[in-house]
Amino acid sequence: HRLASLFADFQQQREINPDGYHANIAAWTKALSNAARAGVIPGQGTTHDLTVIRTADELARALQHPQYGKPAGLPAVFHEAVQRKEMVLVKDFMSSTTSIYKTSWLPTPWSALQWSLRTVGVLGKAAPPDKLAVRNYVVLKNVEVAGDEILKKMKEHTSTADRVLSRRDFLNRFSHMLNPASPLTNNDLNIILIHLCRDKQAISYDAQTIKFKAEHEAEPLPITEEDAAIVGLRDTLANIQAQLPPLMEKIELANAAAREAVATKQMVRAKAALRSKKLAETALAQRSDVALQLEGVYNQLQQA
């Protein structure tokens, strides 16, 4: 019976059974938020945003029940979620210069009274649309959870150098904050960065660099050339370190090939394998030296 109610067109219950109507709205809003966080909401292309829901035909088809069909109440669900400030149109969220925690975003006592009067029928109600328009909505709860988890994790880092990250480094550290099995997308990253900067006033950032505010600072400091240099140093170090395992594997393979060639008395092949091993060893030694030098510089920056 509960499933039948959830999948039916329950908009008419707004007038005759407001408690049931709002119970269905709350159930769907929670389910959709959790589904987005789980990375199973259909999106454009092959990626699945964890903080955004796209209200296209793919969403209704994905939610279709074998017995009750597509959920007919989705237009009301998104209408009410926007009214309650639980979801926001992506274009409004991205373009707003006002924090979601400012009075203009939060329900005022007067707006709460208006909502109550509409519920009991004293005031006219803004009726939900009959059809679900194709739009993209930010799920504010998911954004807030991601932001809080990231700030909690960053409290472990006390040095200025550790609080300056590139976008790549940011994603490497925090891409699984919302869901261990599903990483943040670029859309998620942009939304979370706006939230941390505008709403939390915890970071400053530009196209390449993200800088977290220290606990003793009243507001985040702007990005400097030194910050950009630290980010470049750490990204260069990461690139070099990523080259070391393939070189070590190449050395092992060349060594094995040389041994096999010697065993079968294929001396030309053995010499070629040894030359390949020598080249890989030289490259490994050079990159290892550079990595050690960069690590030393970064350690000095941390101490400073």
Side-chain angles (χ1 to χ4, degrees):
H1 175 74
R2 187 76 181 100
L3 277 176
S5 174
L6 286 167
F7 277 80
D9 184 1
F10 49 77
Q11 291 196 35
Q12 58 188 1
Q13 294 184 15
R14 242 167 125 245
E15 306 291 342
I16 60 176
N17 182 15
D19 289 341
Y21 172 81
H22 289 291
N24 283 351
I25 295 292
W28 270 115
T29 303
K30 181 178 180 181
L32 288 167
S33 299
N34 290 343
R37 183 171 176 175
V40 295
I41 293 287
Q44 290 181 297
T46 58
T47 59
H48 296 270
D49 297 326
L50 308 188
T51 63
V52 175
I53 296 177
R54 178 176 169 82
T55 55
D57 290 339
E58 292 84 359
L59 177 63
R61 287 199 296 268
L63 293 168
Q64 185 167 338
H65 190 276
Q67 182 177 352
Y68 302 110
K70 297 177 181 178
L74 286 183
V77 172
F78 285 95
H79 172 81
E80 296 291 347
V82 170
Q83 297 301 313
R84 297 180 183 188
K85 305 296 185 184
E86 295 173 328
M87 295 187 190
V88 183
L89 285 170
V90 168
K91 62 181 181 63
D92 292 341
F93 183 91
M94 301 292 282
S95 63
S96 176
T97 57
T98 306
S99 167
I100 62 173
Y101 302 118
K102 292 290 185 181
T103 306
S104 58
W105 277 74
L106 299 174
T108 63
W110 171 239
S111 64
L113 175 60
Q114 287 180 313
W115 182 84
S116 300
L117 292 173
R118 288 191 183 99
T119 301
V120 297
V122 176
L123 287 179
K125 302 176 184 180
D130 294 328
K131 294 184 179 180
L132 191 62
V134 178
R135 290 176 177 170
N136 296 313
Y137 293 89
V138 175
V139 183
L140 290 183
K141 179 182 177 182
N142 292 359
V143 176
E144 289 179 317
V145 169
D148 290 344
E149 288 296 319
I150 289 169
L151 293 179
K152 180 180 177 181
K153 192 71 176 175
M154 283 305 298
K155 286 184 178 181
E156 301 172 5
H157 302 280
T158 56
S159 76
T160 303
D162 286 343
R163 292 197 307 273
V164 181
L165 310 176
S166 66
R167 286 182 174 240
R168 166 184 161 180
D169 199 7
F170 185 96
L171 277 176
N172 286 341
R173 292 193 192 191
F174 305 125
S175 63
H176 291 91
M177 274 292 170
L178 267 180
N179 183 347
S182 186
L184 297 175
T185 65
N186 282 327
N187 286 337
D188 295 327
L189 172 62
N190 291 329
I191 287 170
I192 290 170
L193 289 179
I194 287 178
H195 174 64
L196 290 174
C197 179
R198 180 192 63 201
D199 305 326
K200 289 288 192 177
Q201 293 189 332
I203 67 168
S204 54
Y205 73 100
D206 58 22
Q208 303 296 332
T209 307
I210 301 162
K211 184 176 183 177
F212 283 82
K213 179 184 74 173
E215 287 194 28
H216 64 274
E217 294 172 351
E219 58 184 25
L221 299 175
I223 304 293
T224 64
E225 291 183 3
E226 289 79 7
D227 297 327
I230 290 172
V231 165
L233 171 65
R234 196 161 47 226
D235 278 355
T236 302
L237 178 57
N239 286 334
I240 292 175
Q241 289 175 333
Q243 296 173 24
L244 301 183
L247 285 172
M248 289 187 284
E249 182 179 358
K250 187 174 182 179
I251 291 169
E252 292 179 2
L253 291 174
N255 190 49
R259 289 177 180 276
E260 181 183 347
V262 169
T264 56
K265 297 182 180 180
Q266 301 179 46
M267 303 312 295
V268 174
R269 183 184 167 198
K271 289 179 180 179
L274 289 173
R275 283 195 297 270
S276 178
K277 177 186 175 184
K278 183 64 176 178
L279 288 172
E281 286 176 338
T282 301
L284 178 63
Q286 291 172 342
R287 284 163 177 75
S288 297
D289 288 343
V290 173
L292 286 173
Q293 292 173 11
L294 293 178
E295 285 177 353
V297 172
Y298 188 71
N299 287 336
Q300 292 174 358
L301 284 171
Q302 287 179 310
Q303 293 170 8

